[in-house]
Amino acid sequence: AGALNQELNQRALENDGLSSELSALKEDAHHMSSELMVREDELNAKADEIAELEKELQRVHSMHQHERGVTVDLTQKLEDAKQRLQQTEQALGEQQKEWTSQAEDFKSRLAEAEGTIFTAQDAQDSAGTEIVYL
């Protein structure tokens, strides 16, 4: 009976030790659980921050795409305007050549007409008659 009693006391001491250890483990688990909740809150805050940054990045990317599109559009319009200007300059050059040719032709006909007038006046002076111009 004494050995049984001693074994029971030993087991009781072991149970008390295990009970204390279990309490300490429960306290550690509670502490870890609280710390995990804090970490989870921090992670959620970081996730929210990342989501905001992603939205901002998307907005900036959209603006960049728009600006790039505007730049491409403006570049195309500039190239079109340069091409139209070149075509206009070419057309004006051709028009100027035509006008110069017409002016030369007019000068030639004018000189011819003046020669005819002078010849007619000389003939009038020689003949003593008067030419009436209409």
Side-chain angles (χ1 to χ4, degrees):
L4 186 58
N5 203 11
Q6 188 177 4
E7 191 174 325
L8 285 176
N9 285 336
Q10 182 66 29
R11 298 266 173 140
L13 284 175
E14 285 177 11
N15 281 343
D16 286 344
L18 289 174
S19 185
S20 295
E21 195 175 323
L22 181 60
S23 292
L25 287 174
K26 284 181 182 179
E27 191 175 313
D28 285 349
H30 179 71
H31 177 71
M32 286 181 177
S33 176
S34 296
E35 193 169 318
L36 282 174
M37 288 184 352
V38 168
R39 297 277 187 233
E40 185 178 3
D41 289 345
E42 289 173 356
L43 285 174
N44 286 335
K46 291 291 182 189
D48 291 346
E49 188 177 330
I50 289 170
E52 287 299 315
L53 289 172
E54 285 175 341
K55 285 180 188 175
E56 180 66 14
L57 179 62
Q58 184 62 37
R59 186 186 68 77
V60 169
H61 180 70
S62 294
M63 278 181 17
H64 177 71
Q65 289 294 95
H66 175 72
E67 288 170 357
R68 225 169 83 201
V70 168
T71 301
V72 167
D73 186 47
L74 291 176
T75 301
Q76 183 62 46
K77 286 180 179 179
L78 178 61
E79 290 301 317
D80 292 347
K82 284 180 183 178
Q83 189 174 17
R84 286 193 308 272
L85 177 61
Q86 191 176 32
Q87 290 170 347
T88 302
E89 287 174 342
Q90 185 178 359
L92 285 175
E94 291 171 7
Q95 186 69 47
Q96 185 178 9
K97 287 178 189 176
E98 187 176 325
W99 287 342
T100 302
S101 173
Q102 288 176 353
E104 293 296 324
D105 185 43
F106 179 74
K107 285 180 188 177
S108 173
R109 289 187 306 172
L110 181 61
E112 207 177 282
E114 286 175 344
T116 303
I117 290 172
F118 291 134
T119 304
Q121 284 177 342
D122 288 344
Q124 175 188 1
D125 291 343
S126 299
T129 58
E130 189 173 319
I131 299 176
V132 178
Y133 296 101
L134 302 176

